[in-house]
């Protein structure tokens, strides 16, 4: 039988030692983001919020918050690493990040966690769209398919 | 590295097998393994052991021996009660009354009857503590009501129902009353005092092994079996009897009931220490269930702004075993139907954690939880973009 909540060492590492997080309330308030995105709903059990700083069309800094299970937290943490490593990812490339890209960096996730807990890429697209809007580059904004309700919550 | 001693606070899910229970089971593996239905001394020894186990259970429940049917688990007992009574009584009516906070064994058995047997089922609402009122129950009764099933104590939040009041309503209208008492090992389980017609229990919550249950069926109840065959258990549950487990279950029930008052007092003191500790040390916590009328070993709390599965992983890392009503820990990926039935929003159900204390729980175990929990909750809250206002929860 499949193990419903087996987490790899990488997932546990990102869960217990999350990367790129705000240390204090003051840090959140003082953070000058170029774009902010938030997706999910507390009723569904997953909310992800992402803050990005952009320079020369690259993501040079990324902070995040997640309400959700361990895999949701670990996957957002991993995403923040992916977009900021190697001097920052180009925005066009960042828009193309898929859940599978995050999961493969984490090693493995329980299958049932895949659809509901990996929402970080959507929060990222929302943050990039926010940046495009603020910098009058509306043409570059992308549209996301509406999310499928996987959590069984009727809203 | 030395293995960390695990603090096991999931006794509502499963208990250890008490060594005194295991001791009375031992002789049935290699020595007295005969079939109690066989015509020889070995079979007779098994039959006698089973008979005396049954009469001891009857003594505990305050009923007669032929009113006790042993089954394979609590879920089977509940299924036999609901489907067996429905099949035997459907010519009189097809309406069943139950509640929204029952164990899935009851809810799914009812949904099965709705789907395949044109049963009509009323799922009664509960108050904010999870209790059913006698007047709501009485109002739901129809001329075609044949069965009422209300749990004795809730498995998630530990709230205790006033079964003797509810069963009086059933009796007044001449309707059969079943209670799922699988969590009620430390409560008064005198079926005459409770006034019930059917009563389900299982072994794995009372320090007997998993894989054995019982159903008390009052003599006057019309019921048909679900499992057909050799006619064991008064024709109501065919299949070679699991003698060892039946003997163990009987011993476990006797022990639990003889130690009930003392153990209940001890465990509830630890429960209160844990509840008060949590409420004092951690802000934005809701105690789910009734503050007083709850199982001695049950603590169920919602930590606002965080998700239960994440907190369970933190606790597990520190050697603490608990459970959660979060969607992420349920097979259905939906949050607890019990906590949402209390009128609390989904996000509160997602953040619920259940600690269930048991026979081996010590004050040091509670201290360990209180040491670990505040830091874990704080770490997760620091990561969370959700900020629920407590005053918004009760509209």
């Amino acid at each position: 039988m499949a193990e419903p909540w087996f987490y790899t060492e990488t997932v546990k590492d990102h869960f217990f030692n999350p990367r790129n997080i705000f240390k204090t309330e003051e840090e959140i308030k003082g953070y000058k983001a170029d774009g902010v995105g938030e997706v999910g709903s507390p009723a569904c059990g997953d909310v992800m919020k992402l803050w990005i700083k952009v320079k020369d069309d690259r993501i040079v800094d990324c902070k995040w918050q997640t309400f959700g299970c361990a895999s949701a937290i670990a996957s957002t943490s991993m995403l923040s690493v992916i977009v900021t490593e190697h001097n920052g990812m180009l925005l066009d490339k960042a828009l193309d990040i898929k859940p599978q890209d995050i999961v493969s960096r984490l090693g493995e996730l329980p299958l049932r966690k895949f659809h509901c807990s990996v929402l970080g890429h959507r929060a990222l697209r929302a943050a990039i769209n926010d940046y495009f809007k603020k910098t009058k580059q509306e043409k570059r904004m992308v549209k996301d398919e509406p999310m499928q309700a996987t959590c069984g919550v009727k809203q | 590295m030395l293995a960390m001693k695990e603090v096991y606070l999931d006794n509502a899910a499963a208990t250890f097998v008490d060594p005194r229970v295991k001791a009375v089971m031992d002789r049935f593996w290699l020595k007295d393994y005969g079939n109690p239905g066989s015509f020889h001394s070995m079979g007779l020894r098994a039959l006698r052991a089973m008979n005396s186990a049954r009469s001891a259970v009857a003594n505990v429940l305050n009923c007669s021996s032929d009113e006790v049917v042993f089954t394979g688990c609590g879920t089977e007992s509940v299924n036999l009660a609901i489907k067996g009574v429905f099949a035997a009584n459907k010519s009189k009516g097809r309406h069943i009354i139950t509640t929204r906070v029952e164990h899935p064994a009851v809810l799914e058995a009812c949904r099965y009857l709705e789907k395949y047997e044109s049963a009509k089922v009323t799922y009664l609402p509960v108050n904010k503590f999870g209790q059913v009122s006698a007047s709501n129950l009485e109002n739901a009764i129809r001329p075609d009501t044949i069965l009422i099933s209300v749990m004795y104590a809730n498995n998630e939040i530990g709230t205790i129902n006033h079964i003797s009041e509810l069963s009086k309503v059933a009796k007044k209208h001449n309707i059969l009353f079943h209670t799922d008492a699988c969590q009620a090992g430390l409560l008064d389980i005198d079926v005459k005092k409770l006034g019930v017609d059917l009563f389900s229990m299982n072994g794995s919550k009372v320090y007997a092994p998993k894989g054995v249950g019982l159903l008390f069926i009052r003599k006057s109840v019309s019921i048909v079996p679900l499992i057909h065959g050799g006619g064991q258990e008064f024709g109501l549950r065919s299949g070679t009897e699991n003698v060892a487990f039946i003997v163990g279950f009987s011993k476990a029930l006797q022990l639990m009931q003889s130690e009930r008052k003392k153990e209940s007092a001890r465990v509830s003191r630890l429960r209160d220490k844990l509840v008060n500790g949590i409420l004092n040390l951690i802000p934005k916590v809701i105690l789910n269930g009734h503050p007083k009328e709850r199982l001695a070993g049950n603590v169920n709390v919602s930590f606002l702004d965080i998700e239960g599965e994440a907190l369970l992983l933190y606790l597990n890392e520190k050697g603490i075993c608990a459970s959660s009503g979060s969607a992420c820990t349920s097979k259905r990926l939906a949050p607890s139907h019990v906590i949402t039935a209390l009128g609390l929003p989904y996000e509160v159900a997602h953040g619920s954690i259940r600690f269930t204390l048991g026979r081996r729980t010590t004050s040091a175990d509670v201290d360990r939880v209180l040491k670990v929990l505040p830091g874990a909750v704080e770490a997760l809250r620091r990561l969370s973009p959700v900020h629920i206002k407590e005053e918004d929860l009760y509209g």
Side-chain angles (χ1 to χ4, degrees):
Chain A
M1 200 171 93
E3 296 172 343
W5 67 273
F6 171 78
Y7 290 130
T8 62
E9 285 307 312
T10 315
V11 173
K12 276 167 54 175
D13 178 34
H14 275 264
F15 173 68
F16 288 112
N17 309 291
R19 320 295 202 269
N20 302 310
I21 57 167
F22 292 116
K23 303 271 184 323
T24 61
E25 275 298 309
E26 290 67 43
E27 205 185 328
I28 302 176
K29 282 182 193 129
Y31 193 79
K32 301 250 180 303
D34 296 313
V36 183
E38 184 170 342
V39 297
S41 91
C44 273
D46 287 286
V47 181
M48 275 143 201
K49 190 168 179 182
L50 229 71
W51 290 257
I52 54 168
K53 282 188 182 177
V54 180
K55 201 177 165 194
D56 301 332
D57 231 41
R58 286 177 184 274
I59 298 171
V60 292
D61 196 30
C62 172
K63 292 275 192 287
W64 59 273
Q65 284 187 323
T66 289
F67 166 81
C69 57
S71 58
I73 287 169
S75 67
T76 327
S77 173
M78 181 54 92
L79 174 68
S80 75
V81 170
I82 293 172
V83 297
T84 53
E85 64 195 355
H86 314 306
N87 303 320
M89 190 176 262
L90 284 165
L91 290 178
D92 286 335
K93 220 177 148 205
L95 286 170
D96 272 344
I97 291 179
K98 307 214 163 25
Q100 188 54 55
D101 303 328
I102 303 169
V103 175
S104 61
R105 283 286 294 269
L106 286 171
E108 192 189 341
L109 271 187
L111 196 60
R112 61 203 292 273
K113 296 282 184 188
F114 198 98
H115 297 286
C116 57
S117 66
V118 186
L119 294 174
H121 62 295
R122 285 175 173 270
L124 176 64
R125 281 203 285 267
I128 294 173
N129 276 341
D130 183 48
Y131 166 74
F132 287 152
K133 203 171 166 191
K134 281 177 178 154
T135 53
K136 309 267 181 259
Q137 306 183 68
E138 279 92 346
K139 280 202 302 284
R140 295 179 70 190
M141 286 173 73
V142 289
K143 232 181 156 171
D144 249 325
E145 294 294 309
M147 282 206 292
Q148 278 183 333
T150 50
C151 60
V153 174
K154 290 187 195 82
Q155 287 181 83
Chain B
M1 199 179 83
L2 274 172
M4 191 170 21
K5 183 191 166 255
E6 281 184 319
V7 173
Y8 183 79
L9 296 176
D10 202 13
N11 287 282
T15 52
F16 68 93
V17 176
D18 192 295
R20 296 168 293 179
V21 170
K22 186 177 170 294
V24 299
M25 294 168 62
D26 282 345
R27 72 173 168 113
F28 300 100
W29 308 126
L30 294 172
K31 202 164 147 268
D32 293 331
Y33 53 83
N35 187 322
S38 295
F39 191 83
H40 46 59
S41 306
M42 192 115 115
L44 190 61
R45 287 202 294 277
L47 179 67
R48 283 182 177 155
M50 197 174 71
N51 284 347
S52 87
R54 194 188 308 276
S55 82
V57 167
N59 199 31
V60 168
L61 297 179
N62 191 19
C63 65
S64 68
S65 285
D66 54 2
E67 292 177 315
V68 177
V69 168
F70 289 109
T71 67
C73 58
T75 292
E76 188 194 327
S77 301
V78 165
N79 271 266
L80 174 56
I82 292 175
K83 293 180 192 163
V85 163
F86 183 85
N89 294 276
K90 62 185 180 188
S91 60
K92 290 185 229 159
R94 288 175 175 266
H95 184 232
I96 298 172
I97 301 171
T98 185
T99 83
R100 290 184 197 167
V101 296
E102 297 295 310
H103 188 275
V106 170
L107 294 175
E108 293 303 317
C110 286
R111 282 183 195 128
Y112 167 84
L113 292 176
E114 285 178 295
K115 194 167 173 193
Y116 296 105
E117 292 287 341
S118 341
K120 302 283 174 240
V121 182
T122 301
Y123 300 90
L124 290 174
V126 292
N127 66 14
K128 66 175 178 173
F129 302 126
Q131 289 165 321
V132 177
S133 82
S135 61
N136 270 355
L137 174 62
E138 187 151 30
N139 290 336
I141 292 173
R142 317 190 319 198
D144 59 341
T145 307
I146 53 168
L147 177 67
I148 295 167
S149 185
V150 178
M151 69 201 323
Y152 193 174
N154 187 275
N155 52 309
E156 290 188 30
I157 56 172
T159 295
I160 299 165
N161 271 307
H162 298 196
I163 293 299
S164 54
E165 274 178 36
L166 300 171
S167 68
K168 273 192 197 102
V169 175
K171 194 166 280 169
K172 185 175 146 195
H173 293 269
N174 205 19
I175 299 163
L176 294 174
F177 191 98
H178 166 250
T179 191
D180 165 7
C182 287
Q183 296 288 342
L186 275 182
L187 300 177
D188 188 345
I189 53 172
D190 178 325
V191 293
K192 289 211 171 71
K193 273 199 234 164
L194 291 169
V196 296
D197 302 297
L198 302 113
F199 173 101
S200 301
M201 266 199 128
N202 67 343
S204 61
K205 318 289 192 231
V206 294
Y207 307 92
K210 298 160 193 72
V212 62
L214 70 81
L215 180 64
F216 155 75
I217 309 170
R218 191 178 298 289
K219 271 198 198 88
S220 53
V221 171
S222 302
I223 186 166
V224 294
L226 304 182
I227 299 177
H228 303 90
Q232 289 90 342
E233 297 297 306
F234 318 107
L236 284 170
R237 206 278 187 176
S238 287
T240 301
E241 300 91 335
N242 190 348
V243 179
F245 281 37
I246 289 169
V247 169
F249 187 17
S250 172
K251 177 72 179 175
L253 270 182
Q254 293 169 65
L255 287 171
M256 193 123 185
Q257 284 291 303
S258 67
E259 296 165 2
R260 180 166 90 82
K261 292 228 161 82
K262 209 173 146 203
E263 180 64 358
S264 178
R266 187 190 74 87
V267 175
S268 34
R269 272 197 302 276
L270 293 178
R271 173 200 66 193
D272 294 343
K273 176 179 168 174
L274 182 54
V275 170
N276 293 333
I278 290 171
L279 295 176
N280 288 333
L281 292 168
I282 305 173
K284 295 180 81 175
V285 182
I286 294 170
L287 176 67
N288 297 312
H290 199 287
K292 293 206 175 66
E293 293 172 1
R294 71 188 299 138
L295 291 172
N298 178 292
V299 175
N300 189 312
V301 281
S302 282
F303 299 94
L304 301 185
D305 304 340
I306 62 175
E307 201 277 337
E309 191 248 33
L311 188 52
L312 280 189
L313 193 64
Y314 251 104
L315 294 173
N316 186 55
E317 198 68 9
K318 301 283 184 189
I320 297 166
C321 309
S323 79
S324 169
S326 141
C328 286
T329 58
S330 100
K331 287 196 177 68
R332 287 189 192 83
L333 288 175
S336 159
H337 67 288
V338 176
I339 294 174
T340 50
L342 305 178
L344 290 164
Y346 283 93
E347 44 269 47
V348 175
H350 286 303
S352 68
I353 297 281
R354 180 187 72 175
F355 300 100
T356 43
L357 291 62
R359 198 170 280 172
R360 286 206 291 212
T361 308
T362 63
S363 194
D365 292 339
V366 173
D367 290 335
R368 198 120 136 242
V369 174
L370 291 174
K371 204 173 157 201
V372 168
L373 203 50
V377 171
E378 201 191 318
L380 290 170
R381 280 186 176 155
R382 235 192 341 257
L383 291 180
S384 174
V386 172
H387 309 286
I388 301 166
K389 289 198 180 79
E390 275 175 280
E391 57 267 32
D392 293 345
L393 292 177
Y394 302 98

